Amino acid sequence: MAGFVLAGVTVVAAEEPDAVREAWQALPPGTALVILTPAAADALGQVLVEGTRPLTVVMPS
């Protein structure tokens, strides 16, 4: 994660599924890209396909 921070990326760590969903809801309106772990993508489930914002990428496991 340190590499992302050094590049100017805002990093939000959420370990548990409820924390992932809370972090998703708290994304600032101008968020353009969210990079997710496979576990975070699983926690968000259908939410990822329901909307058009923001662009999401799931890291390989």
Side-chain angles (χ1 to χ4, degrees), residues 1-4 6 8 10 13-14 17 21 23-24 29-30 40 42-43 47-49 51 53-54 58-59 61:
M1 273 200 272
F4 289 117
L6 290 173
T10 300
R21 289 186 286 271
W24 181 264
D42 286 343
V47 171
L48 294 179
V49 296
R53 79 142 193 115
V58 180
M59 298 186 318
S61 50

Side-chain angles (χ1 to χ4, degrees), residues 6-59:
L6 290 173
V9 174
T10 300
V11 175
V12 178
E15 299 286 329
E16 301 299 322
D18 286 339
V20 171
R21 289 186 286 271
E22 287 176 22
W24 181 264
Q25 292 299 322
L27 289 173
T31 302
L33 173 67
V34 177
I35 302 172
L36 301 165
T37 63
D42 286 343
L44 292 172
Q46 190 65 24
V47 171
L48 294 179
V49 296
E50 289 176 348
T52 58
R53 79 142 193 115
L55 175 64
T56 57
V57 175
V58 180
M59 298 186 318

